[in-house]
Amino acid sequence: MSGVRDLFFDEFYSELERVAGEIAARRDEEQKPSILADDVRARWIQYAGNGEREGTLISVDGGIQQSDFAYGDFVAAGRAIALIHKPGEGRRMERRVKIYVGQVYEERDKGIIPSYVRTICEYEAAYAAARKILDEGGQPVVLMDGSLYLGRFPYAIREYRHHPELIIDLLESITRMRNFARDKGFPLVGVAKDSSVFFLYMELLKTAVARAGLGNLVKQLDEASSPLDLKGKMENWDEKEWKQMEPWIEKHPLCDPLLVKDSTTTQGYTAPLYLSPSIYYSDNDTMGLYRMADKHLEKDTAVHVKRAIREFFSAPGVAAIYWKPSAKARPFRVDILANLLGRPEAWNSHTRNMFTDPNPNLEKVLNHLNHWFCNEVEYNIPLKQADTLAHFDRDLYRRKYEPFIVHRLEEAGLDVEGKRREKRNFG
């Protein structure tokens, strides 16, 4: 195909010019400071991060590949590595692999299932490495690549009908690690390179609105997860409330990292925001899910599902900060298991986001992150090393792993057949 002339480039270029023109036309408006810039600065803590580092750092990352065969046959192969970085010793590691095989017909499941498989591997590897350090008399500092916050909780009964065992494994692996960190008192941290959430934005907006004497609107704001979600909910507000809120609606609201980037000029971090599970959890939703499990699942499966959900929300919760390793650096979102902030209680014991005070334990973690920060692309040497080793190259998977998978599954009695498109491309 490389020798075929591209028939669409002229049209592509014209369309690109149109889009670029629209962006340039609204650039001046978007460069205005956010109405929440002062509120960000009020929650900003200047910190150089050059203090003492304590504990043994464990960096964790995973990789995933999948095979989508004819007639719905589907395989997801995940792997993860936990690298132990103990001063004065060579690099040690814990590795975990998990393979899911099943018939998957929903396209959304073909994206969801691999993410579950990878996450299970990562938490199992992290748990094994942390236990090893504790058994040796050390204190681990577990650093996961990505958020600790399960942004998409599996609440649709359709998922529990199709892959209940996988969801149980997912929730149990996370719960076990969180409880282990709480019980042994070590930090469990996640660093998200790219985040586009509005947790901080919405909490600051609630604070600003209440300060302006509009406390009557805070309850409605509590029910919105983002400015876009808020606009949708405002369609059902009465006219008085709508007019009260209208001055606080920005045409182009900034997601949390961009809001922090545009509002601060020094090295440091935001006050920890203890996140509520209410974005994907409420008593009614949970009770409804329990009832659906009892109705649609086999009795033993329903019991295991409900127990896994209940124990997940009984483990400690997650707090988030936005951290800048230098004055001009882009902010990183850093998630912290809340036990590190003196909040070891069950996550479902509070129903809304709240700011908490920083403490020396948090800053000891930031000392590790600052020490290992190298640049904004690789950003953290231990995590980059874990990423390099865990990365699951597609070509490697197709050449080395997939033939073994197909051969062994056929030996086990599964009739695996490639899709016609793949036969055309690779035949």
PDB file of all heavy atoms in Angstrom, residues 43-51 260-261 263-270 322-331 363 366-367 369-373:
ATOM      1  N   ARG A  43      -4.707  26.925  47.732  1.00  0.00           N
ATOM      2  CA  ARG A  43      -4.499  25.522  48.118  1.00  0.00           C
ATOM      3  C   ARG A  43      -3.130  25.006  47.684  1.00  0.00           C
ATOM      4  O   ARG A  43      -2.883  23.799  47.728  1.00  0.00           O
ATOM      5  CB  ARG A  43      -5.589  24.650  47.477  1.00  0.00           C
ATOM      6  CG  ARG A  43      -6.993  24.934  47.971  1.00  0.00           C
ATOM      7  CD  ARG A  43      -7.210  24.411  49.374  1.00  0.00           C
ATOM      8  NE  ARG A  43      -8.581  24.624  49.833  1.00  0.00           N
ATOM      9  CZ  ARG A  43      -9.038  24.204  51.006  1.00  0.00           C
ATOM     10  NH1 ARG A  43      -8.228  23.529  51.815  1.00  0.00           N
ATOM     11  NH2 ARG A  43     -10.286  24.445  51.365  1.00  0.00           N
ATOM     12  N   TRP A  44      -2.239  25.896  47.263  1.00  0.00           N
ATOM     13  CA  TRP A  44      -0.936  25.501  46.734  1.00  0.00           C
ATOM     14  C   TRP A  44       0.115  25.522  47.848  1.00  0.00           C
ATOM     15  O   TRP A  44       0.209  26.479  48.620  1.00  0.00           O
ATOM     16  CB  TRP A  44      -0.526  26.441  45.613  1.00  0.00           C
ATOM     17  CG  TRP A  44       0.741  26.042  44.905  1.00  0.00           C
ATOM     18  CD1 TRP A  44       1.942  26.701  44.918  1.00  0.00           C
ATOM     19  CD2 TRP A  44       0.921  24.904  44.065  1.00  0.00           C
ATOM     20  NE1 TRP A  44       2.863  26.045  44.142  1.00  0.00           N
ATOM     21  CE2 TRP A  44       2.257  24.925  43.604  1.00  0.00           C
ATOM     22  CE3 TRP A  44       0.093  23.867  43.673  1.00  0.00           C
ATOM     23  CZ2 TRP A  44       2.778  23.951  42.760  1.00  0.00           C
ATOM     24  CZ3 TRP A  44       0.601  22.893  42.825  1.00  0.00           C
ATOM     25  CH2 TRP A  44       1.931  22.935  42.382  1.00  0.00           C
ATOM     26  N   ILE A  45       0.892  24.464  47.937  1.00  0.00           N
ATOM     27  CA  ILE A  45       1.932  24.335  48.952  1.00  0.00           C
ATOM     28  C   ILE A  45       3.282  24.291  48.250  1.00  0.00           C
ATOM     29  O   ILE A  45       3.553  23.349  47.489  1.00  0.00           O
ATOM     30  CB  ILE A  45       1.723  23.063  49.794  1.00  0.00           C
ATOM     31  CG1 ILE A  45       0.364  23.121  50.485  1.00  0.00           C
ATOM     32  CG2 ILE A  45       2.857  22.889  50.805  1.00  0.00           C
ATOM     33  CD1 ILE A  45      -0.234  21.791  50.770  1.00  0.00           C
ATOM     34  N   GLN A  46       4.101  25.293  48.468  1.00  0.00           N
ATOM     35  CA  GLN A  46       5.432  25.300  47.863  1.00  0.00           C
ATOM     36  C   GLN A  46       6.307  24.284  48.581  1.00  0.00           C
ATOM     37  O   GLN A  46       6.381  24.272  49.810  1.00  0.00           O
ATOM     38  CB  GLN A  46       6.053  26.692  47.947  1.00  0.00           C
ATOM     39  CG  GLN A  46       5.328  27.738  47.129  1.00  0.00           C
ATOM     40  CD  GLN A  46       6.083  29.055  47.070  1.00  0.00           C
ATOM     41  OE1 GLN A  46       7.309  29.074  46.949  1.00  0.00           O
ATOM     42  NE2 GLN A  46       5.353  30.160  47.160  1.00  0.00           N
ATOM     43  N   TYR A  47       6.944  23.444  47.788  1.00  0.00           N
ATOM     44  CA  TYR A  47       7.774  22.397  48.388  1.00  0.00           C
ATOM     45  C   TYR A  47       8.828  21.964  47.384  1.00  0.00           C
ATOM     46  O   TYR A  47       8.507  21.613  46.247  1.00  0.00           O
ATOM     47  CB  TYR A  47       6.924  21.199  48.800  1.00  0.00           C
ATOM     48  CG  TYR A  47       7.704  20.148  49.561  1.00  0.00           C
ATOM     49  CD1 TYR A  47       8.211  20.436  50.838  1.00  0.00           C
ATOM     50  CD2 TYR A  47       7.950  18.903  49.019  1.00  0.00           C
ATOM     51  CE1 TYR A  47       8.938  19.491  51.539  1.00  0.00           C
ATOM     52  CE2 TYR A  47       8.674  17.949  49.716  1.00  0.00           C
ATOM     53  CZ  TYR A  47       9.171  18.249  50.981  1.00  0.00           C
ATOM     54  OH  TYR A  47       9.893  17.313  51.674  1.00  0.00           O
ATOM     55  N   ALA A  48      10.084  21.984  47.813  1.00  0.00           N
ATOM     56  CA  ALA A  48      11.191  21.657  46.911  1.00  0.00           C
ATOM     57  C   ALA A  48      11.383  20.161  46.747  1.00  0.00           C
ATOM     58  O   ALA A  48      11.950  19.708  45.748  1.00  0.00           O
ATOM     59  CB  ALA A  48      12.487  22.302  47.413  1.00  0.00           C
ATOM     60  N   GLY A  49      10.951  19.372  47.721  1.00  0.00           N
ATOM     61  CA  GLY A  49      11.054  17.923  47.589  1.00  0.00           C
ATOM     62  C   GLY A  49      12.460  17.381  47.683  1.00  0.00           C
ATOM     63  O   GLY A  49      12.754  16.314  47.122  1.00  0.00           O
ATOM     64  N   ASN A  50      13.342  18.073  48.402  1.00  0.00           N
ATOM     65  CA  ASN A  50      14.724  17.620  48.503  1.00  0.00           C
ATOM     66  C   ASN A  50      15.058  17.089  49.888  1.00  0.00           C
ATOM     67  O   ASN A  50      16.226  17.055  50.300  1.00  0.00           O
ATOM     68  CB  ASN A  50      15.682  18.754  48.136  1.00  0.00           C
ATOM     69  CG  ASN A  50      15.410  20.022  48.940  1.00  0.00           C
ATOM     70  OD1 ASN A  50      14.593  20.018  49.858  1.00  0.00           O
ATOM     71  ND2 ASN A  50      16.087  21.104  48.593  1.00  0.00           N
ATOM     72  N   GLY A  51      14.051  16.666  50.628  1.00  0.00           N
ATOM     73  CA  GLY A  51      14.278  16.131  51.969  1.00  0.00           C
ATOM     74  C   GLY A  51      14.683  14.661  51.942  1.00  0.00           C
ATOM     75  O   GLY A  51      14.945  14.070  50.890  1.00  0.00           O
ATOM     76  N   VAL A 260      -4.064  23.842  37.291  1.00  0.00           N
ATOM     77  CA  VAL A 260      -2.908  24.027  38.175  1.00  0.00           C
ATOM     78  C   VAL A 260      -1.744  24.654  37.413  1.00  0.00           C
ATOM     79  O   VAL A 260      -1.067  25.559  37.909  1.00  0.00           O
ATOM     80  CB  VAL A 260      -2.497  22.684  38.802  1.00  0.00           C
ATOM     81  CG1 VAL A 260      -1.176  22.806  39.560  1.00  0.00           C
ATOM     82  CG2 VAL A 260      -3.593  22.177  39.730  1.00  0.00           C
ATOM     83  N   LYS A 261      -1.510  24.173  36.204  1.00  0.00           N
ATOM     84  CA  LYS A 261      -0.411  24.694  35.397  1.00  0.00           C
ATOM     85  C   LYS A 261      -0.559  26.189  35.156  1.00  0.00           C
ATOM     86  O   LYS A 261       0.409  26.956  35.274  1.00  0.00           O
ATOM     87  CB  LYS A 261      -0.353  23.951  34.062  1.00  0.00           C
ATOM     88  CG  LYS A 261       0.706  24.456  33.081  1.00  0.00           C
ATOM     89  CD  LYS A 261       0.681  23.627  31.809  1.00  0.00           C
ATOM     90  CE  LYS A 261       1.712  24.107  30.808  1.00  0.00           C
ATOM     91  NZ  LYS A 261       1.350  25.433  30.255  1.00  0.00           N
ATOM     92  N   SER A 263      -2.267  28.341  36.891  1.00  0.00           N
ATOM     93  CA  SER A 263      -2.535  29.143  38.088  1.00  0.00           C
ATOM     94  C   SER A 263      -1.345  29.240  39.033  1.00  0.00           C
ATOM     95  O   SER A 263      -1.382  30.034  39.983  1.00  0.00           O
ATOM     96  CB  SER A 263      -3.730  28.555  38.860  1.00  0.00           C
ATOM     97  OG  SER A 263      -4.876  28.476  38.044  1.00  0.00           O
ATOM     98  N   THR A 264      -0.293  28.455  38.806  1.00  0.00           N
ATOM     99  CA  THR A 264       0.835  28.437  39.746  1.00  0.00           C
ATOM    100  C   THR A 264       2.145  28.695  39.008  1.00  0.00           C
ATOM    101  O   THR A 264       2.277  28.376  37.826  1.00  0.00           O
ATOM    102  CB  THR A 264       0.920  27.082  40.464  1.00  0.00           C
ATOM    103  OG1 THR A 264       1.101  26.034  39.508  1.00  0.00           O
ATOM    104  CG2 THR A 264      -0.346  26.808  41.261  1.00  0.00           C
ATOM    105  N   THR A 265       3.109  29.235  39.742  1.00  0.00           N
ATOM    106  CA  THR A 265       4.398  29.585  39.137  1.00  0.00           C
ATOM    107  C   THR A 265       5.580  29.008  39.907  1.00  0.00           C
ATOM    108  O   THR A 265       6.720  29.316  39.591  1.00  0.00           O
ATOM    109  CB  THR A 265       4.552  31.115  39.065  1.00  0.00           C
ATOM    110  OG1 THR A 265       4.452  31.659  40.391  1.00  0.00           O
ATOM    111  CG2 THR A 265       3.494  31.730  38.173  1.00  0.00           C
ATOM    112  N   THR A 266       5.321  28.183  40.916  1.00  0.00           N
ATOM    113  CA  THR A 266       6.397  27.653  41.744  1.00  0.00           C
ATOM    114  C   THR A 266       6.322  26.132  41.814  1.00  0.00           C
ATOM    115  O   THR A 266       5.310  25.524  41.457  1.00  0.00           O
ATOM    116  CB  THR A 266       6.329  28.215  43.175  1.00  0.00           C
ATOM    117  OG1 THR A 266       5.070  27.830  43.759  1.00  0.00           O
ATOM    118  CG2 THR A 266       6.442  29.726  43.169  1.00  0.00           C
ATOM    119  N   GLN A 267       7.388  25.533  42.300  1.00  0.00           N
ATOM    120  CA  GLN A 267       7.431  24.102  42.555  1.00  0.00           C
ATOM    121  C   GLN A 267       6.590  23.786  43.785  1.00  0.00           C
ATOM    122  O   GLN A 267       6.579  24.541  44.751  1.00  0.00           O
ATOM    123  CB  GLN A 267       8.887  23.691  42.797  1.00  0.00           C
ATOM    124  CG  GLN A 267       9.124  22.215  43.031  1.00  0.00           C
ATOM    125  CD  GLN A 267      10.599  21.933  43.259  1.00  0.00           C
ATOM    126  OE1 GLN A 267      11.390  22.853  43.443  1.00  0.00           O
ATOM    127  NE2 GLN A 267      10.983  20.669  43.232  1.00  0.00           N
ATOM    128  N   GLY A 268       5.851  22.683  43.757  1.00  0.00           N
ATOM    129  CA  GLY A 268       5.057  22.323  44.916  1.00  0.00           C
ATOM    130  C   GLY A 268       3.914  21.398  44.565  1.00  0.00           C
ATOM    131  O   GLY A 268       3.959  20.677  43.563  1.00  0.00           O
ATOM    132  N   TYR A 269       2.847  21.453  45.384  1.00  0.00           N
ATOM    133  CA  TYR A 269       1.719  20.540  45.181  1.00  0.00           C
ATOM    134  C   TYR A 269       0.457  21.139  45.791  1.00  0.00           C
ATOM    135  O   TYR A 269       0.519  22.027  46.649  1.00  0.00           O
ATOM    136  CB  TYR A 269       2.017  19.167  45.781  1.00  0.00           C
ATOM    137  CG  TYR A 269       2.217  19.156  47.286  1.00  0.00           C
ATOM    138  CD1 TYR A 269       1.182  18.824  48.149  1.00  0.00           C
ATOM    139  CD2 TYR A 269       3.449  19.477  47.854  1.00  0.00           C
ATOM    140  CE1 TYR A 269       1.360  18.794  49.519  1.00  0.00           C
ATOM    141  CE2 TYR A 269       3.641  19.459  49.221  1.00  0.00           C
ATOM    142  CZ  TYR A 269       2.592  19.118  50.054  1.00  0.00           C
ATOM    143  OH  TYR A 269       2.773  19.105  51.420  1.00  0.00           O
ATOM    144  N   THR A 270      -0.682  20.642  45.352  1.00  0.00           N
ATOM    145  CA  THR A 270      -1.959  21.090  45.899  1.00  0.00           C
ATOM    146  C   THR A 270      -2.274  20.347  47.185  1.00  0.00           C
ATOM    147  O   THR A 270      -1.812  19.223  47.404  1.00  0.00           O
ATOM    148  CB  THR A 270      -3.102  20.843  44.900  1.00  0.00           C
ATOM    149  OG1 THR A 270      -3.133  19.458  44.556  1.00  0.00           O
ATOM    150  CG2 THR A 270      -2.915  21.671  43.647  1.00  0.00           C
ATOM    151  N   TYR A 322      -1.941  17.418  42.920  1.00  0.00           N
ATOM    152  CA  TYR A 322      -1.278  17.760  41.660  1.00  0.00           C
ATOM    153  C   TYR A 322       0.082  18.346  42.016  1.00  0.00           C
ATOM    154  O   TYR A 322       0.172  19.306  42.781  1.00  0.00           O
ATOM    155  CB  TYR A 322      -2.144  18.722  40.842  1.00  0.00           C
ATOM    156  CG  TYR A 322      -3.396  18.028  40.381  1.00  0.00           C
ATOM    157  CD1 TYR A 322      -4.551  18.065  41.163  1.00  0.00           C
ATOM    158  CD2 TYR A 322      -3.412  17.273  39.214  1.00  0.00           C
ATOM    159  CE1 TYR A 322      -5.695  17.377  40.772  1.00  0.00           C
ATOM    160  CE2 TYR A 322      -4.548  16.593  38.820  1.00  0.00           C
ATOM    161  CZ  TYR A 322      -5.678  16.644  39.601  1.00  0.00           C
ATOM    162  OH  TYR A 322      -6.801  15.952  39.223  1.00  0.00           O
ATOM    163  N   TRP A 323       1.118  17.740  41.478  1.00  0.00           N
ATOM    164  CA  TRP A 323       2.498  18.008  41.893  1.00  0.00           C
ATOM    165  C   TRP A 323       3.315  18.514  40.707  1.00  0.00           C
ATOM    166  O   TRP A 323       3.252  17.962  39.616  1.00  0.00           O
ATOM    167  CB  TRP A 323       3.090  16.709  42.439  1.00  0.00           C
ATOM    168  CG  TRP A 323       4.587  16.636  42.469  1.00  0.00           C
ATOM    169  CD1 TRP A 323       5.439  17.363  43.241  1.00  0.00           C
ATOM    170  CD2 TRP A 323       5.402  15.762  41.682  1.00  0.00           C
ATOM    171  NE1 TRP A 323       6.742  16.985  42.984  1.00  0.00           N
ATOM    172  CE2 TRP A 323       6.746  16.008  42.032  1.00  0.00           C
ATOM    173  CE3 TRP A 323       5.131  14.783  40.714  1.00  0.00           C
ATOM    174  CZ2 TRP A 323       7.816  15.323  41.448  1.00  0.00           C
ATOM    175  CZ3 TRP A 323       6.193  14.097  40.133  1.00  0.00           C
ATOM    176  CH2 TRP A 323       7.510  14.375  40.507  1.00  0.00           C
ATOM    177  N   LYS A 324       4.062  19.594  40.968  1.00  0.00           N
ATOM    178  CA  LYS A 324       4.983  20.134  39.968  1.00  0.00           C
ATOM    179  C   LYS A 324       6.412  19.939  40.466  1.00  0.00           C
ATOM    180  O   LYS A 324       6.799  20.538  41.479  1.00  0.00           O
ATOM    181  CB  LYS A 324       4.707  21.617  39.722  1.00  0.00           C
ATOM    182  CG  LYS A 324       3.445  21.891  38.908  1.00  0.00           C
ATOM    183  CD  LYS A 324       3.113  23.369  38.864  1.00  0.00           C
ATOM    184  CE  LYS A 324       4.233  24.198  38.287  1.00  0.00           C
ATOM    185  NZ  LYS A 324       3.887  25.637  38.191  1.00  0.00           N
ATOM    186  N   PRO A 325       7.216  19.127  39.768  1.00  0.00           N
ATOM    187  CA  PRO A 325       8.593  18.894  40.215  1.00  0.00           C
ATOM    188  C   PRO A 325       9.508  20.083  40.009  1.00  0.00           C
ATOM    189  O   PRO A 325      10.594  20.131  40.586  1.00  0.00           O
ATOM    190  CB  PRO A 325       9.034  17.701  39.368  1.00  0.00           C
ATOM    191  CG  PRO A 325       8.159  17.741  38.165  1.00  0.00           C
ATOM    192  CD  PRO A 325       6.850  18.293  38.616  1.00  0.00           C
ATOM    193  N   SER A 326       9.102  21.028  39.181  1.00  0.00           N
ATOM    194  CA  SER A 326       9.847  22.277  39.009  1.00  0.00           C
ATOM    195  C   SER A 326       8.845  23.376  38.703  1.00  0.00           C
ATOM    196  O   SER A 326       7.679  23.102  38.386  1.00  0.00           O
ATOM    197  CB  SER A 326      10.884  22.153  37.892  1.00  0.00           C
ATOM    198  OG  SER A 326      10.256  22.004  36.630  1.00  0.00           O
ATOM    199  N   ALA A 327       9.309  24.611  38.774  1.00  0.00           N
ATOM    200  CA  ALA A 327       8.390  25.732  38.619  1.00  0.00           C
ATOM    201  C   ALA A 327       7.691  25.738  37.263  1.00  0.00           C
ATOM    202  O   ALA A 327       6.525  26.124  37.152  1.00  0.00           O
ATOM    203  CB  ALA A 327       9.134  27.054  38.826  1.00  0.00           C
ATOM    204  N   LYS A 328       8.403  25.315  36.214  1.00  0.00           N
ATOM    205  CA  LYS A 328       7.844  25.367  34.868  1.00  0.00           C
ATOM    206  C   LYS A 328       7.320  24.015  34.376  1.00  0.00           C
ATOM    207  O   LYS A 328       6.861  23.914  33.237  1.00  0.00           O
ATOM    208  CB  LYS A 328       8.899  25.894  33.900  1.00  0.00           C
ATOM    209  CG  LYS A 328       9.308  27.343  34.169  1.00  0.00           C
ATOM    210  CD  LYS A 328      10.303  27.843  33.138  1.00  0.00           C
ATOM    211  CE  LYS A 328      10.671  29.289  33.396  1.00  0.00           C
ATOM    212  NZ  LYS A 328      11.645  29.802  32.384  1.00  0.00           N
ATOM    213  N   ALA A 329       7.398  22.996  35.199  1.00  0.00           N
ATOM    214  CA  ALA A 329       6.980  21.658  34.775  1.00  0.00           C
ATOM    215  C   ALA A 329       5.460  21.565  34.670  1.00  0.00           C
ATOM    216  O   ALA A 329       4.721  22.276  35.364  1.00  0.00           O
ATOM    217  CB  ALA A 329       7.491  20.605  35.750  1.00  0.00           C
ATOM    218  N   ARG A 330       5.015  20.689  33.793  1.00  0.00           N
ATOM    219  CA  ARG A 330       3.592  20.346  33.753  1.00  0.00           C
ATOM    220  C   ARG A 330       3.235  19.561  35.014  1.00  0.00           C
ATOM    221  O   ARG A 330       4.007  18.718  35.471  1.00  0.00           O
ATOM    222  CB  ARG A 330       3.285  19.497  32.520  1.00  0.00           C
ATOM    223  CG  ARG A 330       3.392  20.239  31.212  1.00  0.00           C
ATOM    224  CD  ARG A 330       3.389  19.275  30.038  1.00  0.00           C
ATOM    225  NE  ARG A 330       2.276  18.341  30.077  1.00  0.00           N
ATOM    226  CZ  ARG A 330       2.142  17.301  29.258  1.00  0.00           C
ATOM    227  NH1 ARG A 330       3.062  17.063  28.339  1.00  0.00           N
ATOM    228  NH2 ARG A 330       1.111  16.508  29.339  1.00  0.00           N
ATOM    229  N   PRO A 331       2.065  19.795  35.594  1.00  0.00           N
ATOM    230  CA  PRO A 331       1.687  19.064  36.810  1.00  0.00           C
ATOM    231  C   PRO A 331       1.413  17.587  36.519  1.00  0.00           C
ATOM    232  O   PRO A 331       0.924  17.215  35.448  1.00  0.00           O
ATOM    233  CB  PRO A 331       0.411  19.765  37.269  1.00  0.00           C
ATOM    234  CG  PRO A 331       0.390  21.062  36.544  1.00  0.00           C
ATOM    235  CD  PRO A 331       1.086  20.830  35.244  1.00  0.00           C
ATOM    236  N   GLU A 363       5.076  14.244  52.162  1.00  0.00           N
ATOM    237  CA  GLU A 363       6.245  14.913  51.619  1.00  0.00           C
ATOM    238  C   GLU A 363       7.439  13.973  51.501  1.00  0.00           C
ATOM    239  O   GLU A 363       8.302  14.159  50.633  1.00  0.00           O
ATOM    240  CB  GLU A 363       6.570  16.146  52.466  1.00  0.00           C
ATOM    241  CG  GLU A 363       5.456  17.194  52.342  1.00  0.00           C
ATOM    242  CD  GLU A 363       5.779  18.526  52.985  1.00  0.00           C
ATOM    243  OE1 GLU A 363       6.746  18.583  53.787  1.00  0.00           O
ATOM    244  OE2 GLU A 363       5.072  19.512  52.677  1.00  0.00           O
ATOM    245  N   LEU A 366       6.928  12.579  48.153  1.00  0.00           N
ATOM    246  CA  LEU A 366       7.330  13.554  47.143  1.00  0.00           C
ATOM    247  C   LEU A 366       8.850  13.665  47.047  1.00  0.00           C
ATOM    248  O   LEU A 366       9.377  13.957  45.963  1.00  0.00           O
ATOM    249  CB  LEU A 366       6.712  14.907  47.452  1.00  0.00           C
ATOM    250  CG  LEU A 366       5.186  14.993  47.339  1.00  0.00           C
ATOM    251  CD1 LEU A 366       4.703  16.386  47.685  1.00  0.00           C
ATOM    252  CD2 LEU A 366       4.723  14.597  45.948  1.00  0.00           C
ATOM    253  N   ASN A 367       9.548  13.422  48.139  1.00  0.00           N
ATOM    254  CA  ASN A 367      11.011  13.411  48.075  1.00  0.00           C
ATOM    255  C   ASN A 367      11.500  12.328  47.117  1.00  0.00           C
ATOM    256  O   ASN A 367      12.442  12.540  46.347  1.00  0.00           O
ATOM    257  CB  ASN A 367      11.597  13.190  49.463  1.00  0.00           C
ATOM    258  CG  ASN A 367      11.340  14.350  50.399  1.00  0.00           C
ATOM    259  OD1 ASN A 367      11.027  15.459  49.960  1.00  0.00           O
ATOM    260  ND2 ASN A 367      11.459  14.101  51.696  1.00  0.00           N
ATOM    261  N   LEU A 369       9.728  11.096  44.565  1.00  0.00           N
ATOM    262  CA  LEU A 369       9.348  11.486  43.213  1.00  0.00           C
ATOM    263  C   LEU A 369      10.264  12.573  42.667  1.00  0.00           C
ATOM    264  O   LEU A 369      10.655  12.533  41.491  1.00  0.00           O
ATOM    265  CB  LEU A 369       7.897  11.969  43.200  1.00  0.00           C
ATOM    266  CG  LEU A 369       6.825  10.936  43.583  1.00  0.00           C
ATOM    267  CD1 LEU A 369       5.436  11.538  43.480  1.00  0.00           C
ATOM    268  CD2 LEU A 369       6.921   9.692  42.719  1.00  0.00           C
ATOM    269  N   ASN A 370      10.606  13.531  43.501  1.00  0.00           N
ATOM    270  CA  ASN A 370      11.510  14.583  43.051  1.00  0.00           C
ATOM    271  C   ASN A 370      12.905  14.049  42.762  1.00  0.00           C
ATOM    272  O   ASN A 370      13.550  14.449  41.798  1.00  0.00           O
ATOM    273  CB  ASN A 370      11.587  15.705  44.096  1.00  0.00           C
ATOM    274  CG  ASN A 370      10.506  16.745  43.927  1.00  0.00           C
ATOM    275  OD1 ASN A 370      10.550  17.573  43.037  1.00  0.00           O
ATOM    276  ND2 ASN A 370       9.499  16.673  44.785  1.00  0.00           N
ATOM    277  N   HIS A 371      13.374  13.131  43.602  1.00  0.00           N
ATOM    278  CA  HIS A 371      14.716  12.576  43.405  1.00  0.00           C
ATOM    279  C   HIS A 371      14.829  11.864  42.068  1.00  0.00           C
ATOM    280  O   HIS A 371      15.853  11.976  41.377  1.00  0.00           O
ATOM    281  CB  HIS A 371      15.045  11.605  44.543  1.00  0.00           C
ATOM    282  CG  HIS A 371      16.357  10.909  44.364  1.00  0.00           C
ATOM    283  ND1 HIS A 371      17.564  11.493  44.676  1.00  0.00           N
ATOM    284  CD2 HIS A 371      16.666   9.662  43.886  1.00  0.00           C
ATOM    285  CE1 HIS A 371      18.544  10.652  44.417  1.00  0.00           C
ATOM    286  NE2 HIS A 371      18.031   9.542  43.939  1.00  0.00           N
ATOM    287  N   TRP A 372      13.772  11.135  41.671  1.00  0.00           N
ATOM    288  CA  TRP A 372      13.838  10.309  40.468  1.00  0.00           C
ATOM    289  C   TRP A 372      13.295  11.011  39.233  1.00  0.00           C
ATOM    290  O   TRP A 372      13.303  10.432  38.145  1.00  0.00           O
ATOM    291  CB  TRP A 372      13.064   9.006  40.690  1.00  0.00           C
ATOM    292  CG  TRP A 372      13.728   8.083  41.658  1.00  0.00           C
ATOM    293  CD1 TRP A 372      13.300   7.755  42.908  1.00  0.00           C
ATOM    294  CD2 TRP A 372      14.931   7.343  41.453  1.00  0.00           C
ATOM    295  NE1 TRP A 372      14.156   6.871  43.506  1.00  0.00           N
ATOM    296  CE2 TRP A 372      15.170   6.601  42.625  1.00  0.00           C
ATOM    297  CE3 TRP A 372      15.841   7.241  40.394  1.00  0.00           C
ATOM    298  CZ2 TRP A 372      16.276   5.760  42.763  1.00  0.00           C
ATOM    299  CZ3 TRP A 372      16.938   6.411  40.525  1.00  0.00           C
ATOM    300  CH2 TRP A 372      17.151   5.682  41.695  1.00  0.00           C
ATOM    301  N   PHE A 373      12.800  12.242  39.396  1.00  0.00           N
ATOM    302  CA  PHE A 373      12.282  12.946  38.221  1.00  0.00           C
ATOM    303  C   PHE A 373      13.426  13.280  37.270  1.00  0.00           C
ATOM    304  O   PHE A 373      14.472  13.797  37.676  1.00  0.00           O
ATOM    305  CB  PHE A 373      11.571  14.241  38.638  1.00  0.00           C
ATOM    306  CG  PHE A 373      11.073  15.053  37.479  1.00  0.00           C
ATOM    307  CD1 PHE A 373       9.931  14.677  36.806  1.00  0.00           C
ATOM    308  CD2 PHE A 373      11.754  16.184  37.047  1.00  0.00           C
ATOM    309  CE1 PHE A 373       9.455  15.418  35.734  1.00  0.00           C
ATOM    310  CE2 PHE A 373      11.306  16.932  35.977  1.00  0.00           C
ATOM    311  CZ  PHE A 373      10.144  16.539  35.317  1.00  0.00           C
TER     312      PHE A 373
END
